[in-house]
Amino acid sequence: MTTGRDDDALSWDGDDDPTLDHGVAAEPEDERDTPPSSTPPELPKGFTAVGRGSETLGGADAPVAGSVAESSSAAPTVTADRRPMGNGALIAFGVLGGVYALYAIGWLIGGLRLQGRAEYLVTDVMYQGSLWLAVLAPLLWFATTLLLTRASRAWLRFTWLAAGVVLLLPWPFVMIGAIGQ
């Protein structure tokens, strides 16, 4: 396959410029004369190479390929194929976190409004304990879901968060409201 200038679909003024070497920048003269080294470049101590081709780089404290220290290591290396969250996922987590915070406020307001009506069902101490558990339930669900699904796929994390939105609806606030009826 030829990449000459005659095969280009368009020609522009300045195509005859000698600095244009078929779209490839010219290498400095000293870099062309040096042969490629057989040992990989080393990173300073404390640095870790990441990304494509990082396994070929050697660190100052990394074992040389094929050495005794590398072959005798008992602990297998774990290569996590984790990608950072995208902007959409971060915004969705923020929105769901806000929903859960509003749910906690809804449970508090609805529970305090219901307190006078539920005095005959349970004692005051039992009601206060269950009220604060209900207020903390949305916050605990959100934090627990984020913590336990850290290594899972995003759809699983969002499924558990959506299930919490449905299950933890503050019914006292929905039924009685902030003002009451």
Side-chain angles (χ1 to χ4, degrees), residues 1 13 27 49 51 74 76 87 89 131 147-148 157 161:
M1 185 168 128
D13 286 337
E27 294 179 343
N87 292 340
L131 171 70
L147 182 70
L148 293 180
R157 181 179 275 187
L161 288 174

Side-chain angles (χ1 to χ4, degrees), residues 15 28 33 38 42-43 46 55 59 61 64 74 81 83 85-86 94-95 99 104 120-121 127 134 153 156 171:
D15 281 345
D33 293 338
S38 61
E42 286 191 11
L43 293 173
E55 59 276 349
D61 52 354
V64 179
D81 194 19
R83 295 181 304 165
M85 286 189 290
V95 168
V99 167
Y120 63 90
L121 294 175
Y127 185 80
R153 296 196 181 270
L156 183 65
W171 285 110

Side-chain angles (χ1 to χ4, degrees), residues 59-140:
D61 52 354
V64 179
S67 68
V68 176
E70 183 184 26
S71 62
S72 66
S73 64
T77 58
V78 177
T79 57
D81 194 19
R82 293 183 51 168
R83 295 181 304 165
M85 286 189 290
N87 292 340
L90 289 174
I91 290 171
F93 285 136
V95 168
L96 286 171
V99 167
Y100 279 106
L102 288 175
Y103 275 16
I105 293 170
W107 274 106
L108 179 65
I109 292 172
L112 290 176
R113 296 286 299 167
L114 189 64
Q115 187 173 8
R117 297 179 184 184
E119 286 179 357
Y120 63 90
L121 294 175
V122 294
T123 64
D124 192 39
V125 174
M126 290 174 52
Y127 185 80
Q128 289 297 320
S130 62
L131 171 70
W132 290 110
L133 284 176
V135 169
L136 289 176
L139 304 175
L140 290 174

